[in-house]
Amino acid sequence: MPQNTPDRGYTYPCYGDGSDFPDQIEELATDIDTDVQQILDDIATIGLLRTSARMRRTAVLATVNNTQTPVVFDSAAQPGYWPGATSTITFPKTCAYVVQASCLWDVSDTGQRRLDLRRLTPSGHSYAVDLRDGIQAAVGIPGFDVPGNAATAMFAAAAGDTMQLRVLQNSGGALNLLGADLSIMEVSQ
């Protein structure tokens, strides 16, 4: 004989009740799915659900000395904001966003590393946040000696504007960027 959960009233099968086991599991899954969708609808209705997106570069990127290099990303947590294999993420609507970026560099004792966040408008205007030597010290992970940069900034963006992460290093030669992340999160409507 099936039972019901005390809080949400989901029907679930008991161990001794094997005759309708598949039907009871299907009913449980449907009840949970319906309940979760209702919770998400309620959250969206009161405005708690915010837009966010994250892109990542996991492949090594060789950067040229003293040359600003756009970071081309190879994966995204929310593909709708990223058309694939580009260096930009698109703001879906007009509002304020917190933008976070980070990158890890190959080890080099020479020169500086720089991370730039650029908001680009469809008309070609560019607004930048320049972070020189962000976290230039080694990242605090035992056994690793990897310098990196990190930046967090707030941007007012219009729907269709894009954000680009660019890096620059002046080590005297080519230097590998080992990985990078770029994320946006809506903070006001």
Side-chain angles (χ1 to χ4, degrees):
M1 182 90 176
Q3 299 289 319
N4 291 338
T5 60
D7 291 333
R8 306 298 272 186
Y10 299 140
T11 302
Y12 64 94
C14 294
Y15 283 113
D17 187 19
S19 60
D20 291 333
F21 191 78
D23 291 336
Q24 293 167 2
I25 291 294
E26 182 179 0
E27 183 181 344
L28 174 63
T30 301
D31 289 348
I32 292 171
D33 187 51
T34 301
D35 203 24
V36 167
Q37 187 57 56
Q38 183 61 52
I39 291 168
L40 291 174
D41 291 346
D42 291 347
I43 290 171
T45 300
I46 61 173
L48 295 177
L49 200 56
R50 301 289 187 191
T51 301
S52 66
R54 181 178 183 168
M55 301 186 322
R56 174 168 281 164
R57 180 177 180 95
T58 56
V60 172
L61 174 65
T63 63
V64 178
N65 188 54
N66 279 329
T67 303
Q68 198 169 67
T69 306
V71 176
V72 176
F73 296 93
D74 53 32
S75 67
Q78 292 81 4
Y81 303 108
W82 174 69
T86 73
S87 63
T88 60
I89 191 168
T90 302
F91 292 104
K93 63 184 182 179
T94 301
C95 68
Y97 292 88
V98 169
V99 179
Q100 295 180 311
S102 63
C103 56
L104 295 176
W105 293 92
D106 210 349
V107 177
S108 172
D109 293 333
T110 309
Q112 296 180 328
R113 317 296 168 259
R114 189 169 112 189
L115 175 153
D116 290 326
L117 293 172
R118 292 199 179 261
R119 180 175 65 87
L120 309 167
T121 66
S123 62
H125 291 88
S126 175
Y127 305 91
V129 170
D130 176 4
L131 181 74
R132 297 175 191 272
D133 291 334
I135 305 168
Q136 186 58 28
V139 175
I141 302 171
F144 290 89
D145 183 23
V146 182
N149 299 94
T152 300
M154 185 174 283
F155 285 88
D161 287 358
T162 59
M163 180 59 63
Q164 184 179 59
L165 172 61
R166 298 180 185 187
V167 294
L168 181 114
Q169 57 84 15
N170 62 355
S171 66
L175 187 65
N176 287 334
L177 181 69
L178 302 178
D181 287 297
L182 177 63
S183 63
I184 64 169
M185 184 179 68
E186 174 190 331
V187 292
S188 73
Q189 298 189 35

